[in-house]
Amino acid sequence: MIEIPKPNSNYKDIHSLLTSYGAGETCYVISWDQEIDGKYLPLVMVLDRVVGQGMPSLVSCIPGKLAYFEAEQSFGPPPR
């Protein structure tokens, strides 16, 4: 697990980082956001929605190998 260095609030930068590690176009989402929770969706669309939302989400890019975690925001930017 690595922490994405700050500034880390641009979903496009996070998308580029994940694709450099082998992420494909789609992902599986576990999220506080019920509209996307439990679904396979386009990675870029999911990142646009969850980055900076302030609520927790786990985005599985390569099952068991690569994921993105957006923590719940309590003070300042959440861990990513």
Side-chain angles (χ1 to χ4, degrees), residues 9-77:
S9 59
N10 185 319
Y11 79 93
K12 292 177 185 177
D13 292 341
I14 296 170
H15 180 262
S16 294
L17 178 65
L18 290 170
T19 56
S20 76
Y21 279 96
E25 292 183 26
T26 60
C27 60
Y28 181 77
V29 187
I30 301 169
S31 179
W32 173 269
D33 184 338
Q34 293 182 359
E35 291 184 26
I36 61 173
D37 182 51
K39 296 180 181 176
Y40 288 92
L41 297 166
L43 178 60
V44 71
M45 190 270 316
V46 169
L47 292 173
D48 182 30
R49 187 155 182 152
V50 303
V51 173
Q53 181 185 35
M55 297 308 289
S57 293
L58 181 64
V59 180
S60 177
C61 301
I62 302 173
K65 295 185 179 186
L66 179 65
Y68 170 74
F69 173 66
E70 174 90 8
E72 183 174 352
Q73 185 175 0
S74 57
F75 177 75

